[in-house]
Amino acid sequence: MRTLIQAFRTKELRNKILFVLGIIIVYRIGSFIPTPGVDYKVVQQCITSTGSEDFIGLVNLFSGGALLQLSIFALGIMPYITASIVVQLLRVVIPRFEALHKEGQSGEAKLTQYTRYMTIGLAVLQSTTILVTARSGALFNYACTGQVIPDSSPWNLIVMILIMTGGTGLIMWMAELITEKGIGNGMSVLIFMSICSGFLPQLWAIGWGTTGKNGNWTKFGIITGVLIVILVFVVYVELSQRRIPVQYTRRMIGRKMYGGSSTYLPLKINMSGVIPPIFASSILAIPTLIAQFGNTEQSWVSWINTNLASTTSVWYISLYALMIVFFCFFYTSITFNPDETADNMKEYGGFIPGVRAGRATSQYLNYVMNRLNTVGAVYLLFVALIPTVLIMSLQLGTKLPFGGTTILIIAGVGLDTLRQAKAQTEQFQYAGFLFEDTDHKEG
């Protein structure tokens, strides 16, 4: 709160915060504007009669409920997230991408351009899939009898695809504007607001109920208490670091002596962030999405609906846990390269006390990262499986307002945004102090 109050007292930061709030308002308004060609009344009836807890539910979560409403922002920021992750993964496969990553700012600008192109391509593909599933009824689990898209002509579908794709491009542009002219990472801020827009109403519905009579305030209190405890735990772990001491030798460059300082290499416990739960839930939801197009009497369709469609089944929990552990190690190995870190330290005359520079440093960093990843994987499993335990113990069905991914995003984005706000607040205060001191000397 102190950081926010200080930020509002500074004119530059206050303008940035108001700019971000303006972008968020535009984003939320666009989430309720229906795509031309959609019967809005039928869509509202379908939303109240069904609920999606699979891959469609995940995309609907990140779009702030815009997906099931088939609005112009139905795809949300999900294509941009997917494209960003794919570009990072392609660095392992395509040497050109890895070379661009090492070039610095110019290379990152090129990778950003590739990400934008891939975002538009994924938006076209996803919007086509969503419209096809909406027309067939699979988007609402075949629980809706109304015709969502009255005019199914090819020309009308093409126009709708172009509008949804354009909405994704507009969201991508707004996210980059927040990053450039506002506070925090634009993509993360929009995801944060999308999740919070449906989080509090669903939480309140558990206690109040849909009609004000069928709620359960005991369950509401238990869930709220568990949520606060988990958030405190997540914040504590996300701020924890394994600090590896680094010593730099003295070097003579020209007539000046450089180096000789001591610092440390900060390594987070959860280096992979929220990526493992997102990947795991997305991959496990694909078979359920495919099964919706099959015959319910077939054996493979019934097996998927029984074991993978329910988040409380033994098969789902086991595969979910294994995939989280796998992606925790896999994604960290991509984002953090011990060999590259050891080479950079050696180039600038740095070394870890008691460890030889070069190959020995790389092996030591790899050893430390494996231990951190083990702890991080256990931490992610604990946070991700708590909602499942609550669903089973409180008999909530699948209606829980938060999951492991939701908690990690809320805590992570909140911490990162406040950290950037605090840094910019201190920067402006320091600049004002220097300006006042200069005026005093001139006077």
Side-chain angles (χ1 to χ4, degrees):
M1 293 301 297
R2 187 184 302 112
T3 301
L4 292 177
I5 293 173
Q6 291 177 352
F8 270 103
R9 287 178 179 175
T10 308
K11 181 180 179 181
E12 293 82 356
L13 293 181
R14 185 169 61 249
N15 292 336
K16 288 186 176 183
I17 295 175
L18 294 177
F19 176 78
V20 173
L21 291 177
I23 295 293
I24 291 174
I25 292 174
V26 173
Y27 174 66
R28 292 304 302 158
I29 292 175
S31 301
F32 293 96
I33 300 177
T35 303
V38 174
D39 193 332
Y40 185 73
K41 293 183 179 179
V42 175
V43 169
Q44 295 302 312
Q45 295 174 359
C46 294
I47 293 175
T48 55
S49 63
T50 183
S52 298
E53 303 297 331
D54 48 9
F55 179 73
I56 295 175
L58 180 66
V59 179
N60 189 57
L61 172 70
F62 284 102
S63 66
L67 171 62
L68 293 182
Q69 297 190 28
L70 295 177
S71 68
I72 57 175
F73 289 167
L75 301 179
I77 202 71
M78 201 65 178
Y80 191 49
I81 298 174
T82 307
S84 302
I85 296 173
V86 169
V87 169
Q88 286 188 348
L89 297 178
L90 288 178
R91 284 168 42 194
V92 183
V93 183
I94 303 177
R96 170 62 178 167
F97 280 22
E98 183 65 23
L100 288 174
H101 175 68
K102 294 180 179 180
E103 287 182 4
Q105 186 176 1
S106 60
E108 290 295 335
K110 197 70 175 178
L111 290 176
T112 302
Q113 188 176 1
Y114 291 153
T115 304
R116 292 170 181 167
Y117 293 151
M118 189 176 295
T119 300
I120 298 301
L122 289 174
V124 173
L125 180 62
Q126 291 184 15
S127 59
T128 304
T129 305
I130 288 172
L131 292 178
V132 171
T133 54
R135 189 177 62 173
S136 64
L139 184 66
F140 301 97
N141 292 330
Y142 298 101
C144 182
T145 57
Q147 195 171 4
V148 178
I149 305 177
D151 185 8
S152 300
S153 62
W155 171 249
N156 186 47
L157 293 178
I158 291 174
V159 172
M160 295 176 71
I161 290 171
L162 291 177
I163 291 175
M164 286 186 176
T165 304
T168 301
L170 180 59
I171 294 175
M172 179 175 59
W173 177 66
M174 290 192 298
E176 293 180 353
L177 280 180
I178 292 177
T179 305
E180 180 182 355
K181 299 182 179 181
I183 297 178
N185 182 278
M187 181 174 64
S188 301
V189 170
L190 293 182
I191 294 174
F192 179 84
M193 295 308 303
S194 298
I195 292 176
C196 290
S197 63
F199 172 77
L200 295 177
Q202 291 180 15
L203 181 62
W204 180 254
I206 294 177
W208 181 255
T210 55
T211 61
K213 298 180 180 180
N214 58 347
N216 192 321
W217 290 106
T218 303
K219 293 181 180 180
F220 174 83
I222 295 174
I223 293 175
T224 305
V226 171
L227 175 62
I228 294 175
V229 172
I230 296 175
L231 281 175
V232 172
F233 174 70
V234 169
V235 170
Y236 178 78
V237 175
E238 291 295 329
L239 293 178
S240 301
Q241 293 178 346
R242 168 69 163 89
R243 297 181 175 182
I244 299 178
V246 179
Q247 180 73 34
Y248 286 92
T249 58
R250 292 180 176 270
R251 294 185 300 168
M252 180 68 73
I253 301 178
R255 296 183 178 181
K256 293 185 178 181
M257 183 74 70
Y258 294 91
S261 60
S262 298
T263 182
Y264 60 87
L265 179 65
L267 299 177
K268 293 180 61 177
I269 293 179
N270 180 26
M271 293 283 288
S272 56
V274 74
I275 299 300
I278 291 178
F279 270 28
S281 56
S282 300
I283 292 177
L284 285 176
I286 291 176
T288 307
L289 187 62
I290 296 175
Q292 291 180 351
F293 297 94
N295 190 354
T296 55
E297 297 180 356
Q298 295 178 338
S299 58
W300 67 274
V301 175
S302 61
W303 187 90
I304 289 176
N305 292 332
T306 303
N307 298 292
L308 297 182
S310 175
T311 57
T312 58
S313 65
V314 177
W315 273 98
Y316 186 92
I317 294 175
S318 302
L319 292 175
Y320 187 54
L322 289 175
M323 286 186 179
I324 286 179
V325 174
F326 169 76
F327 283 116
C328 183
F329 281 86
F330 177 73
Y331 190 76
T332 304
S333 65
I334 295 175
T335 55
F336 181 80
N337 190 345
D339 296 335
E340 182 180 352
T341 304
D343 292 340
N344 292 335
M345 291 172 56
K346 185 178 180 180
E347 181 180 354
Y348 291 99
F351 65 93
I352 300 174
V355 181
R356 296 185 61 181
R359 182 179 179 86
T361 300
S362 175
Q363 293 176 350
Y364 176 76
L365 292 177
N366 193 34
Y367 168 74
V368 173
M369 285 307 306
N370 286 334
R371 297 180 65 183
L372 287 178
N373 281 334
T374 303
V375 179
V378 174
Y379 154 73
L380 286 177
L381 286 175
F382 175 75
V383 176
L385 295 180
I386 280 181
T388 304
V389 175
L390 280 179
I391 288 174
M392 297 174 66
S393 59
L394 299 179
Q395 298 179 356
L396 294 174
T398 54
K399 299 298 182 181
L400 196 64
F402 67 92
T405 307
T406 306
I407 298 173
L408 291 171
I409 291 176
I410 290 176
V413 175
L415 286 173
D416 181 66
T417 305
L418 285 177
R419 191 181 298 115
Q420 293 190 29
K422 184 177 181 180
Q424 294 191 27
T425 301
E426 294 176 351
Q427 176 185 356
F428 280 109
Q429 288 180 346
Y430 187 63
F433 172 75
L434 289 179
F435 183 74
E436 292 175 2
D437 186 63
T438 303
D439 289 345
H440 177 72
K441 289 183 178 180
E442 289 179 356

